[in-house]
C-alpha cells in the first residue's frame, strides 16, 4: 500500500519529512506500507508550505493519482481554507474513493469534501505525529490501510449515529461559508489547543447560537490542551464550557470524546460508519 503525504497548511520541514520516512522504514522494513511525500510540500512561502496554488496542486496530484491508495495530511497550522474551494472541482472519482486523514486546520478541507459527499474522511492523527508517538501513528495507519475499528474514538462503538469531529476554532470560522457541511443529526466532537478559556467560551457561544449547529444530535467535548493562564482565573475548563453552552442552547451534551492535540487522539470517521 502506498500512502501519499501532502502539506496543505503551514510549513513542513525537510527534517520532519525525513524523520517520518525513517520511522516508516523502521516499522515497515519490507515496505508492505510505504509513504511518499509530495516534493512541493517542502516548499516555503511565508507562513505556508508553498503558495496557495502549489499546495492546491499537490493535494490534487495525490488525490487523483491512481498509484496513491490514501492521503495522509502532513501537519496542520493554518492554510487549508485558502485552497479548499479551488481543489474541489478538480477531483476525480478516483479521488472520491480514497481515505483522507488529518485534524486541526485540515478540518477546513475535510469539511468541504464531506459536504461534497466524499465517503472516507476522518479526524485523526497526521503524519507529523508518527515521529512523536508510535501508538498514535499505528492508530492512524491502521485506519488508512483498512478502516480499522480499533482506531475509532470509543463512543463510536456504541452510538450508530453519524459523527464528525473538528477543532473548535476551525469549525467556528467555517460557519456560514461555502465550506460548511450539513451536520444535522450528527454527533459533533470538538477539541482545541492553545486557546484561552474566554476564547473557548466566546466560540461556543457563537457555535451553539448558530441555527445549523442547533440541528446536531449532540456535542461531545474532546480535550482542550495547553490552555494559557487567565488572570483572573476563568473558573471553568474547556470541557465544562462546552457543557455549559450545550445546556444553555438546548443542544444535548453527550459527554467526553477521546480526541485532542495529543498522542491519545483517536480517529473519528465522518458520517455513518
Amino acid at each position: 500500500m502506498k500512502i501519499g503525504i501532502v502539506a496543505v497548511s503551514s510549513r513542513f520541514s525537510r527534517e520532519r519529512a525525513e524523520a517520518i520516512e525513517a520511522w516508516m522504514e523502521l516499522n515497515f522494513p519490507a515496505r508492505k506500507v510505504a509513504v511518499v511525500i509530495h516534493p512541493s510540500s517542502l516548499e516555503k512561502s511565508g507562513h505556508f508550505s508553498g503558495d496557495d496554488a502549489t499546495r492546491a496542486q499537490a493535494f490534487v496530484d495525490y488525490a487523483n493519482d491512481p498509484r496513491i491508495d490514501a492521503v495522509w495530511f502532513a501537519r496542520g497550522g493554518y492554510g487549508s481554507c485558502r485552497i479548499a474551494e479551488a481543489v474541489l472541482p478538480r477531483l476525480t472519482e478516483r479521488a472520491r474513493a480514497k481515505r483522507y486523514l488529518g485534524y486541526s486546520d485540515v478540518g477546513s478541507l475535510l469539511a468541504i469534501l464531506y459536504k461534497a459527499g466524499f465517503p472516507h474522511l476522518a479526524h485523526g492523527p497526521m503524519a507529523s505525529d508518527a515521529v512523536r508517538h508510535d501508538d498514535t501513528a499505528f492508530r492512524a495507519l491502521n485506519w488508512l490501510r483498512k478502516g480499522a475499528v480499533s482506531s475509532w474514538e470509543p463512543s463510536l462503538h456504541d452510538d450508530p449515529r453519524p459523527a464528525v469531529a473538528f477543532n473548535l476554532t476551525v469549525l467556528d470560522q467555517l460557519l456560514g461559508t461555502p465550506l460548511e457541511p450539513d451536520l444535522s443529526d450528527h454527533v459533533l466532537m470538538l477539541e482545541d489547543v492553545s486557546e484561552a478559556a474566554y476564547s473557548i467560551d466566546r466560540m461556543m457561544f457563537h457555535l451553539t447560537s448558530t441555527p445549523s449547529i442547533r440541528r446536531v444530535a449532540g456535542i461531545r467535548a474532546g480535550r482542550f490542551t495547553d490552555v494559557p493562564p487567565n488572570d483572573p482565573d476563568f473558573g471553568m475548563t474547556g470541557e465544562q464550557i462546552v457543557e455549559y453552552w450545550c445546556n444553555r442552547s438546548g443542544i444535548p451534551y453527550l459527554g467526553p470524546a477521546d480526541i485532542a492535540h495529543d498522542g491519545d487522539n483517536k480517529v473519528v470517521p465522518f458520517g455513518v460508519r
Side-chain angles (χ1 to χ4, degrees):
M1 182 177 189
K2 184 177 289 186
I3 297 171
I5 295 176
V6 62
V8 295
S9 303
S10 299
R11 285 188 178 194
F12 183 51
S13 70
R14 185 172 299 278
E15 293 75 18
R16 181 55 59 85
E18 291 172 350
I20 292 169
E21 290 172 334
W23 187 92
M24 291 294 300
E25 185 64 30
L26 177 65
N27 288 280
F28 296 93
R31 296 183 65 82
K32 183 178 180 180
V33 182
V35 298
V36 54
I37 299 171
H38 198 290
S40 73
S41 290
L42 301 175
E43 294 189 15
K44 296 176 174 59
S45 178
H47 171 88
F48 305 106
S49 187
D51 61 24
D52 291 351
T54 297
R55 299 194 321 280
Q57 186 62 54
F59 176 72
V60 171
D61 285 348
Y62 274 9
N64 290 342
D65 191 335
R67 299 167 296 179
I68 300 293
D69 299 300
V71 175
W72 199 11
F73 293 104
R75 59 155 302 173
Y78 170 70
S80 74
C81 65
R82 296 168 63 117
I83 69 169
E85 290 180 272
V87 303
L88 187 62
R90 301 164 61 188
L91 300 178
T92 65
E93 286 304 309
R94 191 177 296 276
R96 188 174 291 270
K98 295 180 182 179
R99 290 193 177 99
Y100 299 83
L101 182 65
Y103 69 111
S104 191
D105 178 72
V106 173
S108 294
L109 195 47
L110 294 176
I112 199 170
L113 294 177
Y114 190 55
K115 182 178 181 178
F118 279 59
H120 306 300
L121 312 168
H123 175 289
M126 289 185 281
S128 291
D129 296 320
V131 296
R132 297 189 181 106
H133 306 283
D134 286 356
D135 289 347
T136 315
F138 282 116
R139 186 182 310 127
L141 288 166
N142 287 339
W143 185 82
L144 283 166
R145 293 168 62 196
K146 53 191 177 184
V149 299
S150 59
S151 298
W152 289 0
E153 196 280 331
S155 68
L156 298 177
H157 294 284
D158 301 316
D159 191 337
R161 292 175 293 186
V164 291
F166 285 98
N167 173 270
L168 171 59
T169 301
V170 170
L171 181 59
D172 190 57
Q173 295 296 308
L174 294 183
L175 299 181
T177 74
L179 278 61
E180 181 188 358
D182 182 3
L183 301 182
S184 298
D185 302 317
H186 284 62
V187 173
L188 171 60
M189 305 185 196
L190 300 169
E191 53 79 27
D192 218 320
V193 62
S194 301
E195 293 290 343
Y198 70 84
S199 180
I200 297 169
D201 192 80
R202 181 166 53 204
M203 288 187 286
M204 283 303 302
F205 153 69
H206 179 244
L207 192 84
T208 58
S209 299
T210 304
S212 60
I213 296 300
R214 289 197 173 185
R215 294 195 292 268
V216 301
I219 294 178
R220 288 187 175 275
R223 289 179 293 282
F224 291 78
T225 54
D226 296 331
V227 177
N230 195 77
D231 186 18
D233 184 69
F234 193 77
M236 299 173 73
T237 67
E239 293 85 350
Q240 289 170 335
I241 292 169
V242 172
E243 183 174 7
Y244 170 85
W245 282 106
C246 283
N247 292 337
R248 181 161 167 171
S249 64
I251 298 172
Y253 177 70
L254 303 176
D258 196 3
I259 61 170
H261 278 64
D262 61 27
D264 291 326
N265 189 23
K266 302 302 190 296
V267 174
V268 179
F270 281 25
V272 178
R273 295 163 297 288

